[in-house]
Amino acid sequence: DRAAVGDEGQMRLDLDLVDHAAGGEFVILLLLAAVGMMIMVSGVDLIVIFLGLELMAISFYVLAGFTWFREGSAEGALKYVITGLFASALLLYGISMIYGATGHLDLDRVADATLGAQGNRTLLVFGLVFVVSGLTSILAFLLICMTVVGLLILRSKAEEVKEKLDALMDELKPMARNAAAMYEDVREVAKNIN
């Protein structure tokens, strides 16, 4: 019921949680996240890009807590929401600073204002710093999540290996006792011969 690594090293997930989705909510959430990504990619306005990001993020927030019946799912979803809200706030604050500095939200006009001497340069720089900080916070959180998933996979594999080694040791203990008894018998016979 956990993530597993296949023979080719690819990660595959046992999606038994899809069975719990009455009506296909899981698939709808994945599709909404994909639509949000498409809106972000096709957006030429900072607000449209932000709305696409939020559509994707809200879908991922719900997906993170989708298996609420599993241990840690609700806690992970709450942490993801809090971190995502912080990153979104940074991003939105940076967008508002860029708008205040340039008077535009269109990417072409913002680029022209950034390259030219138009607008308040200090406010524009701070706006760009906040936008980059918001985006890197989101990226850092995704990297942390991927690392945690990898560690959980390794932990589950280590537990499986430990269980197999314990079972093997339980099988070897009687054999070792028999071998020790046979050694003592051979020693006794060798003593009697001499």
Side-chain angles (χ1 to χ4, degrees):
D1 66 302
R2 293 187 178 171
V5 177
D7 296 332
E8 300 85 27
Q10 295 176 322
M11 190 171 85
R12 63 185 199 286
L13 296 174
D14 180 16
L15 295 177
D16 62 340
L17 56 101
V18 176
D19 296 337
H20 297 287
E25 293 93 350
F26 186 81
V27 176
I28 295 297
L29 289 169
L30 286 177
L31 290 174
L32 280 174
V35 167
M37 291 179 213
M38 288 188 280
I39 290 172
M40 274 193 306
V41 170
S42 64
V44 293
D45 191 86
L46 288 173
I47 293 298
V48 172
I49 293 171
F50 180 75
L51 290 175
L53 175 73
E54 286 305 306
L55 178 62
M56 179 196 70
I58 289 170
S59 299
F60 283 156
Y61 298 155
V62 176
L63 284 171
F66 194 77
T67 56
W68 55 268
F69 49 87
R70 290 187 179 178
E71 183 181 337
S73 180
E75 179 187 354
L78 181 65
K79 289 178 181 177
Y80 184 34
V81 168
I82 291 170
T83 307
L85 289 175
F86 175 72
S88 294
L90 283 176
L91 186 63
L92 194 57
Y93 191 57
I95 289 172
S96 68
M97 285 184 167
I98 290 173
Y99 179 73
T102 62
H104 302 288
L105 291 173
D106 185 56
L107 291 177
D108 290 333
R109 291 184 178 179
V110 170
D112 291 341
T114 304
L115 296 175
Q118 304 167 357
N120 185 347
R121 296 296 283 178
T122 306
L123 191 60
L124 181 62
V125 168
F126 276 113
L128 291 173
V129 167
F130 273 97
V131 167
V132 170
S133 298
L135 291 175
T136 54
S137 297
I138 293 169
L139 178 64
F141 187 73
L142 288 175
L143 292 175
I144 289 169
C145 286
M146 293 303 232
T147 303
V148 168
V149 167
L151 291 175
L152 289 175
I153 292 170
L154 288 176
R155 184 175 132 198
S156 68
K157 289 295 179 186
E159 289 172 358
E160 288 177 22
V161 168
K162 182 183 179 296
E163 290 172 7
K164 288 179 182 177
L165 285 175
D166 288 343
L168 183 63
M169 288 301 291
D170 290 341
E171 290 177 16
L172 290 177
K173 283 179 185 176
M175 290 181 196
R177 282 190 213 111
N178 289 341
M182 290 172 68
Y183 174 74
E184 289 299 321
D185 290 344
V186 168
R187 227 172 124 189
E188 187 85 23
V189 169
K191 234 190 232 185
N192 289 337
I193 293 177
N194 289 336

